[in-house]
Amino acid sequence: PLAGGVVPQNPLMADTWSGNQLGDFWLGAKVNLTSQWRQQPAAFALRGMVKLPTGDKDGVGTGKADFAVDAIVSKEFNERVEFTGFGGVIVRGSPDAVESTVVVPGR
């Protein structure tokens, strides 16, 4: 098939090695809303990212922009252990060579 690559981020990549080709470029920023050093119970931040389609569409890039937003929480205990977690959503562009299909059970 023309699509269905090794990793979901690059659905047009058919091999495990791309050579030394330049891939897509991620650009992002994180905003710290709360922090323990300000005497708040935990650190909380929001992160936004955009993938710029700079890679070659013949494998190492998709030719479409992706967008991601995450919430990040971290808590430090006794200056020795830090627990961190994040969750978010990514909206992927739809490369022209990839078809979206919905599989309906029983059909």
Side-chain angles (χ1 to χ4, degrees):
L2 297 175
V6 179
V7 292
Q9 294 84 356
N10 295 317
L12 305 177
M13 186 72 187
D15 295 320
T16 56
W17 174 249
S18 67
N20 286 324
Q21 298 177 22
L22 178 65
D24 292 333
F25 183 75
W26 280 93
L27 183 64
K30 182 173 79 168
V31 177
N32 190 17
L33 301 175
T34 66
S35 184
Q36 281 188 277
W37 69 269
R38 286 189 248 156
Q39 305 303 317
Q40 295 164 326
F44 179 75
L46 294 176
R47 174 176 58 185
M49 297 183 294
V50 61
K51 183 191 79 175
L52 305 175
T54 57
D56 182 14
K57 288 191 258 184
D58 293 331
V60 296
T62 61
K64 301 290 181 176
D66 294 347
F67 303 93
V69 177
D70 293 320
I72 305 164
V73 178
S74 64
K75 172 82 174 166
E76 183 183 88
F77 296 95
N78 295 331
E79 298 181 358
R80 299 188 187 278
V81 177
E82 183 172 350
F83 292 103
T84 303
F86 68 94
V89 64
I90 185 168
V91 178
R92 297 201 186 277
S94 181
D96 296 333
V98 178
E99 286 186 27
S100 300
T101 58
V102 176
V103 177
V104 179
R107 289 191 180 185

